[in-house]
Amino acid sequence: MLARLRARRSATGIFVPLTAATLESRTRLEAYVAALQASPDEEAGIVLDLNASALATLDETALRGLAWLASLGAAFCLTGRGAARCDLTALSQLGFAFIDTPFAELSDATGRLSPDAETLIQAVAARNMTLIAAGATDQFRLAGMTGAVSLARGPAFAPPRAVRAQAEQVHQTRQVA
């Protein structure tokens, strides 16, 4: 699936949630690494998404798991409140390529960038990271961030679409063909 998406647009990636439980389990990490190594083309498009609150509570075993994934070249995203206040230099050295921070932490009441957000944008860019505005609630306020934030997500975007009843059957037919 990811290979097809990347064929259309090479920068396409899928953000996969990563939990402390996964990082603490050698068995889970080994299974994950084996799956990634079995398909290197898809590995390039997977971003492991770790919540900032989970990062703050990682024990030594989980930190070793995180370091192991980083040593294998995994790409990470730090998500959630407080993500922007973490040590960006250390995160970039570990392979964190994305900082996903709440829209409210980036904008003032009018939708313009807050002074703290401008500093954050410069710091993220200096480390070749990408800032994601999470929870964007309306297009007007999001427009005030155009040019400063390249990625965003939230209710301001189109709602999910209904899945066709035959979607799975069509997919299976294409696989056979």
Side-chain angles (χ1 to χ4, degrees), residues 139 154-163:
Q139 291 290 342
F157 299 92
R161 295 183 303 255
V163 176

Side-chain angles (χ1 to χ4, degrees), residues 82-98:
R85 292 186 297 277
C86 291
D87 182 348
L88 297 178
T89 301
L91 291 173
S92 69
Q93 291 170 350
L94 273 172
F96 280 82
F98 300 91

Side-chain angles (χ1 to χ4, degrees), residues 15 68 86 123 132 137 149 157 166:
F15 287 71
W68 184 39
C86 291
I132 302 171
T137 56
V149 177
F157 299 92
Q166 298 86 7

Side-chain angles (χ1 to χ4, degrees), residues 9 11 15 97-99 106 113 121 124-125 128-134 142 144-153 157:
R9 185 170 180 249
F15 287 71
F98 300 91
I99 300 296
L106 298 173
L113 288 173
I121 289 165
V124 166
N128 288 330
M129 300 168 92
T130 300
L131 188 62
I132 302 171
L142 188 58
M145 300 226 177
T146 303
V149 177
S150 58
L151 297 174
R153 63 181 179 87
F157 299 92

Side-chain angles (χ1 to χ4, degrees), residues 3 19-20 31 36-37 43 52 55 57-59 71 84 111 122 127 146:
T19 65
L36 288 179
Q37 290 175 339
E43 175 186 6
L55 179 65
T57 63
L58 293 180
D59 65 12
S71 73
Q122 292 171 358
R127 290 160 182 84
T146 303

Side-chain angles (χ1 to χ4, degrees), residues 4-160:
R4 283 194 322 216
L5 290 172
R6 290 180 68 80
R8 287 187 203 161
R9 185 170 180 249
S10 62
T12 300
I14 294 177
F15 287 71
V16 177
L18 181 65
T19 65
T22 300
L23 292 171
E24 291 169 354
S25 169
R26 184 78 175 177
T27 305
R28 287 180 187 170
L29 280 176
E30 286 174 353
Y32 179 76
V33 168
L36 288 179
Q37 290 175 339
S39 182
D41 291 338
E42 290 194 14
E43 175 186 6
I46 293 178
V47 178
L48 301 174
D49 194 355
L50 183 63
N51 194 286
S53 61
L55 179 65
T57 63
L58 293 180
D59 65 12
E60 186 177 335
T61 304
L63 287 172
R64 271 191 255 125
L66 182 66
W68 184 39
L69 289 173
S71 73
L72 296 172
F76 298 100
C77 175
L78 190 62
T79 302
R81 288 190 129 12
R85 292 186 297 277
C86 291
D87 182 348
L88 297 178
T89 301
L91 291 173
S92 69
Q93 291 170 350
L94 273 172
F96 280 82
F98 300 91
I99 300 296
D100 184 345
T101 191
F103 185 79
E105 290 182 12
L106 298 173
S107 66
D108 61 17
T110 65
R112 292 192 190 112
L113 288 173
S114 68
D116 290 341
E118 291 180 20
T119 303
L120 173 64
I121 289 165
Q122 292 171 358
V124 166
R127 290 160 182 84
N128 288 330
M129 300 168 92
T130 300
L131 188 62
I132 302 171
T137 56
D138 64 66
Q139 291 290 342
F140 175 74
R141 290 186 62 199
L142 188 58
M145 300 226 177
T146 303
V149 177
S150 58
L151 297 174
R153 63 181 179 87
F157 299 92

